[in-house]
């Protein structure tokens, strides 16, 4: 990583070089809390717990270097994959886990949440998020694509396969409609809190869902509660990763589980294209988008025909669909969705009063706050050099005082 930084920084503008030099190795420098043979633990940064989603996303920028054979980097990916496998088997509905299995008291965790399945000491937080399990599958695919199964097939052993089977089980469980499982819910969640987005409606059951072929998600990648139960970008990610893991399962001699994963992935994708692609709602022309003439992806739906049209900076997002491997940047539905997301038709698209900054924010940080993550995703999904340059300029300006990225800025 140091060699990559040293090679690239001289080719960048000074302020951009500072950002890259500070940020690119930051995960390795500050968040790898534990690594030994067969185990790795990457904390989310400001909290000493490991999120499935975050630990995968923190490692993915280093994935291109895996195939070069660095044993320490491979050990890190393998160790985190093994830790994630054990975590999924411990609790398939949790989003974050304690390093020591809860042997020591943790003052920041959420053991007093009213939840089914019940909280246990090893679980830091028990919010059910589709993208958490999809992130586990994504990490496995990164390791596989970098060089197969590892020595003796150790990276994709029976523990990993059992965890994948649990992922498929949970996804299938969460395809049920609200009334189908009434009184026998696989998952409920309530938290005593003054923050509405930290708990769920209807005694922890969430808002009503009709079976649609999609997978319910109680919470978003932001850890905020969903408004409608089927979170579209998370389902897009799940569809991609289910088909990806099916290939690994087939190659490692597990045809029955491979068939289950492939069938589920294909059916989720079909449901997305059938139900989540909708006529674009009209919006005042001054907003710059929302003609009502195209078709776009909704952000959340409920299976009854209701939809929420917005996007959140947290990935998976609608803006990130090409990066997830779900859609091409040239796809007309994605292009119309992208135009809407990057306009005032998206209630969480913000512009500074002086016009210097514009981008997608999140309910998680409230009105008016733009996320650098959204600017990065905007640049990575653009084929317009001027748009990419504009995103980079905003990132440089927003970070100028510190040389580091922020979660959000105003």
């Amino acid at each position: 990583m140091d060699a990559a930084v040293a090679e690239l920084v001289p080719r960048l503008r000074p302020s951009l070089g500072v950002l890259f030099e500070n940020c690119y190795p930051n995960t390795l420098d500050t968040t790898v809390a534990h690594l030994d043979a067969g185990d790795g633990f990457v904390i989310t940064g400001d909290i000493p717990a490991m999120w499935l989603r975050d630990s995968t996303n923190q490692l993915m920028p280093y994935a291109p270097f895996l195939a070069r054979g660095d044993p320490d980097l491979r050990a890190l990916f393998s160790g985190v994959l093994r830790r994630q496998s054990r975590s999924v088997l411990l609790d398939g509905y949790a989003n974050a886990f304690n390093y020591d299995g809860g042997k020591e008291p943790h003052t920041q965790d959420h053991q007093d949440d009213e939840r089914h399945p019940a909280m246990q000491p090893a679980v830091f937080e028990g919010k059910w998020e589709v993208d958490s399990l999809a992130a586990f599958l994504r990490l496995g695919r990164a390791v596989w694509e970098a060089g197969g199964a590892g020595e003796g097939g150790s990276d994709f052993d029976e523990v990993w396969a059992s965890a994948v089977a649990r992922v498929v089980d949970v996804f299938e469980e969460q395809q049920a409609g609200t009334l189908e499982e009434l009184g026998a819910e696989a998952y409920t969640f309530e938290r005593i809190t003054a923050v509405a987005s930290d708990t769920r409606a209807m005694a922890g059951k969430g808002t009503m869902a009709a079976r649609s072929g999609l997978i319910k998600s109680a919470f978003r990648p932001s850890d905020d509660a969903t408004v409608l139960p089927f979170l579209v970008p998370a389902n897009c990610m799940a569809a991609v990763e289910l088909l990806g893991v099916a290939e690994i399962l087939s190659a490692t001699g597990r045809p029955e589980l491979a068939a289950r994963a492939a069938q589920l992935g294909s059916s989720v994708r079909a449901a997305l294209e059938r139900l989540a692609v909708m006529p674009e709602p009209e919006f005042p022309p001054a907003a710059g988008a929302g003609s009502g003439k195209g078709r776009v992806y909704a952000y959340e739906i409920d299976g009854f025909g209701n939809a929420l049209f917005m996007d959140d900076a947290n990935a998976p997002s609608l803006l990130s669909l090409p990066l997830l491997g779900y859609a091409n940047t040239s796809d007309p539905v994605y292009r119309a969705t992208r135009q809407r997301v990057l306009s005032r038709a998206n209630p969480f698209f913000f512009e500074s009063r002086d016009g210097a900054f514009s981008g997608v924010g999140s309910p998680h940080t409230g009105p008016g706050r733009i996320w650098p993550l959204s600017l990065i995703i905007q640049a990575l999904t653009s084929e317009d050099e001027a748009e990419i340059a504009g995103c980079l300029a905003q990132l440089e300006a927003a970070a100028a005082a510190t040389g580091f990225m922020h979660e959000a800025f105003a």
Side-chain angles (χ1 to χ4, degrees):
M1 296 307 106
D2 289 340
V5 170
E7 178 185 354
L8 187 57
V9 165
R11 298 160 57 189
L12 301 173
R13 293 191 298 270
S15 57
L16 197 59
V18 168
L19 266 181
F20 183 71
E21 187 172 20
N22 288 344
C23 296
Y24 188 65
N26 190 259
T27 285
L28 302 178
D29 291 341
T30 66
T31 69
V32 179
H34 174 75
L35 178 62
D36 64 19
D39 188 30
F41 196 85
V42 175
I43 64 171
T44 194
D46 58 338
I47 300 171
M50 189 173 91
W51 266 249
L52 295 177
R53 170 189 59 254
D54 293 359
S55 57
T56 291
N57 289 339
Q58 286 164 263
L59 292 185
M60 287 308 297
Y62 310 124
F65 291 90
L66 273 177
R68 301 187 184 184
D70 183 284
D72 293 331
L73 189 63
R74 179 68 186 224
L76 177 59
F77 274 74
S78 298
V80 173
L81 181 61
R82 287 171 171 272
R83 168 69 72 143
Q84 287 192 1
S85 297
R86 296 193 298 271
S87 297
V88 169
L89 288 173
L90 179 72
D91 189 332
Y93 282 99
N95 58 329
F97 298 84
N98 292 316
Y99 163 64
D100 59 4
K103 295 177 182 178
E104 298 293 331
H106 293 269
T107 58
Q108 293 177 279
D109 63 10
H110 301 280
Q111 293 298 317
D112 55 353
D113 288 342
E114 290 291 331
R115 176 182 180 266
H116 176 76
M119 289 290 289
Q120 50 186 311
V123 174
F124 180 88
E125 187 172 55
K127 290 181 173 178
W128 159 235
E129 300 161 358
V130 167
D131 71 289
S132 289
L133 295 189
F136 161 64
L137 300 183
R138 179 67 188 95
L139 183 63
R141 182 157 65 92
V143 172
W144 177 264
E145 290 173 348
E151 185 176 350
S154 57
D155 289 330
F156 300 93
D157 58 11
E158 290 309 307
V159 175
W160 171 83
S162 295
V164 172
R166 181 59 182 144
V167 170
V168 175
D169 288 343
V170 170
F171 282 169
E172 290 176 343
E173 289 168 3
Q174 289 305 308
Q175 289 182 303
T178 303
L179 295 180
E180 287 180 67
E181 57 175 359
L182 192 62
E185 292 84 4
Y187 178 83
T188 61
F189 180 99
E190 288 186 283
R191 176 177 293 175
I192 298 174
T193 176
V195 181
S197 59
D198 258 349
T199 191
R200 302 185 78 202
M202 293 201 300
K205 298 176 181 65
T207 51
M208 295 294 290
R211 181 178 284 272
S212 65
L214 299 179
I215 306 162
K216 300 193 301 291
S217 191
F219 292 88
R220 298 170 175 170
S222 60
D223 299 333
D224 292 341
T226 51
V227 174
L228 299 178
F230 299 115
L231 179 58
V232 170
N235 273 264
C236 292
M237 183 180 182
V240 169
E241 298 308 334
L242 283 164
L243 293 171
V245 80
E247 296 181 6
I248 303 173
L249 291 164
S250 294
T252 55
R254 298 165 174 116
E256 293 183 4
L257 184 54
R260 278 185 69 198
Q263 191 281 327
L264 181 57
S266 296
S267 66
V268 168
R269 186 177 186 105
L272 285 162
E273 295 306 307
R274 186 176 72 253
L275 299 173
V277 179
M278 295 185 169
E280 182 181 7
E282 292 189 16
F283 193 79
S291 66
K293 297 179 181 179
R295 291 175 65 80
V296 297
Y297 289 104
Y299 184 69
E300 291 172 355
I301 63 175
D302 63 1
F304 293 101
N306 300 301
L308 177 62
F309 292 92
M310 56 164 280
D311 203 19
D312 190 306
N314 290 274
S317 60
L318 294 178
L319 190 62
S320 71
L321 292 184
L323 301 180
L324 301 178
Y326 185 84
N328 294 321
T329 55
S330 59
D331 178 80
V333 177
Y334 172 73
R335 291 181 69 87
T337 304
R338 189 179 194 277
Q339 182 180 4
R340 185 178 182 86
V341 165
L342 297 174
S343 78
R344 293 178 189 172
N346 173 13
F348 292 95
F349 177 82
F350 304 122
E351 299 169 282
S352 63
R353 292 178 181 177
D354 62 4
F357 297 98
S358 64
V360 181
S362 171
H364 195 69
T365 48
R369 296 184 178 275
I370 299 165
W371 283 48
L373 178 59
S374 76
L375 294 171
I376 293 167
I377 292 174
Q378 181 181 347
L380 289 173
T381 55
S382 176
E383 297 173 350
D384 184 322
E385 290 189 8
E387 182 181 17
I388 295 168
C391 292
L392 288 175
Q394 288 193 72
L395 292 169
E396 290 177 83
T402 63
F404 283 94
M405 294 291 181
H406 312 294
E407 180 182 44
F409 64 90

